[in-house]
Amino acid sequence: MNSTKCLTDGRRQDSERRRANVLAALDQLAARGEDISVSAVSRAAGVHRSLIYRHPDLHAAVTTRAAEPQISTATGPSASKQSLLTDIANLTDRVRRQDTHIRHLEQRLAEALGKQVWQQAGLGGPPDHDALQKRANYLEQHVTELQRQLADRDEDLDAARAANRQLIAKLNTVRSVT
């Protein structure tokens, strides 16, 4: 019985020592302003991560401390990891919007400079470009209308041909009977 008690006491002392190591490592990491996570605390305490996960109070202490803003004695409180991640996401989105805007401005500048160079070289289109564009649009519409009229006339011609064939067939049948 005495040996069982010794083993039980030894196991309890070992468990208390590991818990104390985890809490001490947590305090040390926080004091140094280092990143706090289950892996970082278990590494600093010299224990396996599963110890922290198996003890809800230790896991709660680590996650609570990880969520707190880290305080640096030289510069004061710093931002939490979550707020820094939010800032990164916002800045990434802002950079993406600015990149899009810059590309749009570059395209507009290239078009403006291209037209200017084209005209200065004498290669540009005539100055009445808008009038020509309107005329081209009118002619496209006119062609479409003429194509529609041609299709209508083709249908009329097909109908007239069919009627003509019927009349000739009738005429031929009347002649063959007489």
Side-chain angles (χ1 to χ4, degrees):
M1 287 267 199
N2 198 8
S3 65
T4 306
K5 183 169 177 11
C6 287
L7 287 175
T8 306
D9 289 343
R11 178 111 168 120
R12 186 177 305 117
Q13 288 173 356
D14 184 52
S15 180
E16 289 174 7
R17 180 184 54 79
R18 288 184 196 198
R19 291 173 62 81
N21 286 349
V22 168
L23 294 173
L26 183 59
D27 290 337
Q28 288 173 359
L29 289 174
R32 288 186 292 210
E34 294 182 22
D35 187 33
I36 296 176
S37 66
V38 172
S39 295
V41 172
S42 64
R43 237 185 339 268
V47 298
H48 195 269
R49 292 185 316 264
S50 63
L51 175 80
I52 296 173
Y53 286 115
R54 280 193 320 259
H55 293 87
D57 59 322
L58 292 177
H59 188 257
V62 170
T63 54
T64 301
R65 190 68 71 94
E68 292 176 358
Q70 298 173 353
I71 298 176
S72 172
T73 56
T75 60
S78 62
S80 70
K81 185 175 183 177
Q82 186 60 38
S83 68
L84 292 175
L85 290 174
T86 303
D87 287 347
I88 288 171
N90 289 336
L91 291 173
T92 302
D93 188 50
R94 181 178 180 192
V95 166
R96 190 175 308 126
R97 283 193 317 268
Q98 287 177 343
D99 283 345
T100 303
H101 184 67
I102 288 171
R103 276 195 300 276
H104 177 72
L105 291 175
E106 286 173 344
Q107 182 180 3
R108 285 180 51 198
L109 179 62
E111 288 173 1
L113 289 176
K115 286 179 184 177
Q116 183 181 6
V117 167
W118 190 260
Q119 288 173 349
Q120 287 176 353
L123 301 173
D128 58 346
H129 181 267
D130 290 336
L132 289 175
Q133 185 65 39
K134 287 179 184 177
R135 177 75 176 150
N137 289 340
Y138 168 76
L139 290 174
E140 286 175 0
Q141 291 173 357
H142 187 65
V143 166
T144 303
E145 178 62 26
L146 289 175
Q147 287 173 338
R148 188 190 59 75
Q149 289 176 5
L150 180 61
D152 288 345
R153 289 192 178 140
D154 281 345
E155 289 175 6
D156 291 345
L157 181 60
D158 288 342
R161 284 180 180 159
N164 190 22
R165 278 192 297 274
Q166 288 175 351
L167 288 175
I168 289 179
K170 233 183 207 184
L171 184 62
N172 287 339
T173 55
V174 171
R175 281 189 187 169
S176 63
V177 173
T178 51

